Amino acid sequence: MPRVVDHDQRRSEIAEAALEVVLRQGLDGVTVRGVASAAGCSTGALRHYFPNQRELQAQVMAVAASRLRDMVLARVQGPHPGTTMVEQMASIIEEMLPLDETRRRELALWTALVEWERRNPPEGGSQIWADQRALYRRCIASLYGYPSLGSQDAWQPHPDADVEQWAAVLHTFVDGLAAQLIDTPGQVGPEDARSLLRWLLEAAAPRPQASAASSSPVRR
């Protein structure tokens, strides 16, 4: 009897092999020939599932985005027994920084996703940017004592202008800090990053009205 092939599983296996290609060579390495070699199949067999390179890359990026969201969300939703709200939020945001090998690999995938979106602009703007901004918006809102934002609310501008402004600052800050950890590790190491992140969150945290105007670089 002919062997029964689970086509969905095979597509998933090919996408997983392609993710390793992305990590080694970047998005441009995701070619039919290169992925077929990594997946241990012929180019003809691969084209049966992905007729062209664009479809292959789109599938790989979808798998990468799903995997990253699942991994980061699992860690973000886990216990964060920090003694202060700043420490708890810092432990969440650290999941977006390349502080170890696992998170460095994740950053490589995030970078590939951003490059895919740049080449194939999605309607409504970058989903990767929106996902990350939602995370930082949730963190700042929690820092301000607001109830936890729901899955839909987190993707919309917060009614408190200060929360929204600090979420933008935090987003920009984390992106820059991640780049320095990768590009100039001799100048900025993991402990430097952790210290700077906590400093920024302390600056963002609400203060008594009397001292707020002089203590924060962002309009209060």
Side-chain angles (χ1 to χ4, degrees):
M1 294 180 61
R3 185 168 64 93
V4 177
V5 178
D6 185 329
H7 295 286
D8 289 340
Q9 180 179 348
R10 189 56 179 144
R11 284 174 65 92
S12 178
E13 290 170 353
I14 291 171
E16 291 291 330
L19 285 179
E20 293 303 316
V21 174
V22 171
L23 289 169
R24 294 196 305 270
Q25 303 176 40
L27 185 60
D28 288 334
V30 182
T31 63
V32 171
R33 184 182 298 276
V35 173
S37 176
C41 66
S42 68
T43 56
L46 190 142
R47 287 186 187 280
H48 173 73
Y49 296 100
F50 304 102
N52 56 60
Q53 184 169 325
R54 190 181 187 284
E55 286 192 25
L56 174 61
Q57 288 188 345
Q59 176 68 13
V60 172
M61 292 301 99
V63 170
S66 178
R67 172 190 282 190
L68 287 167
R69 288 191 189 101
D70 288 347
M71 288 190 297
V72 173
L73 189 63
R75 295 197 300 258
V76 166
Q77 291 181 336
H80 299 279
T83 56
T84 67
M85 182 60 71
V86 165
E87 187 62 31
Q88 291 178 48
M89 293 304 103
S91 67
I92 290 173
I93 297 164
E94 282 178 359
E95 298 304 335
M96 301 302 294
L97 290 171
L99 298 174
D100 53 35
E101 183 57 31
T102 295
R103 283 174 281 191
R104 282 191 289 272
R105 286 170 62 88
E106 290 173 2
L107 180 61
L109 290 179
W110 285 119
T111 301
L113 288 169
V114 170
E115 177 63 13
W116 168 253
E117 286 190 336
R118 188 185 68 79
R119 297 182 188 183
N120 306 275
E123 293 184 11
S126 169
Q127 184 61 46
I128 302 305
W129 184 94
D131 284 348
Q132 293 178 338
R133 179 58 62 87
L135 171 64
Y136 302 130
R137 185 178 288 121
R138 279 175 161 168
C139 288
I140 294 296
S142 294
L143 201 62
Y144 270 60
Y146 288 104
S148 179
L149 297 178
S151 58
Q152 296 301 318
D153 293 339
W155 272 261
Q156 301 299 323
H158 198 279
D160 186 328
D162 285 343
V163 169
E164 194 64 16
Q165 195 167 19
W166 272 111
V169 170
L170 182 59
H171 191 168
T172 304
F173 174 86
V174 174
D175 280 358
L177 195 54
Q180 289 190 6
L181 283 162
I182 293 295
D183 297 337
T184 55
Q187 278 65 52
V188 179
E191 290 309 311
D192 299 315
R194 291 186 175 97
S195 177
L196 285 167
L197 174 59
R198 283 158 177 78
W199 177 88
L200 184 72
L201 291 173
E202 290 284 0
R207 286 171 169 73
Q209 189 65 33
S211 62
S214 62
S215 62
S216 173
V218 175
R219 180 185 61 78
R220 307 302 300 172

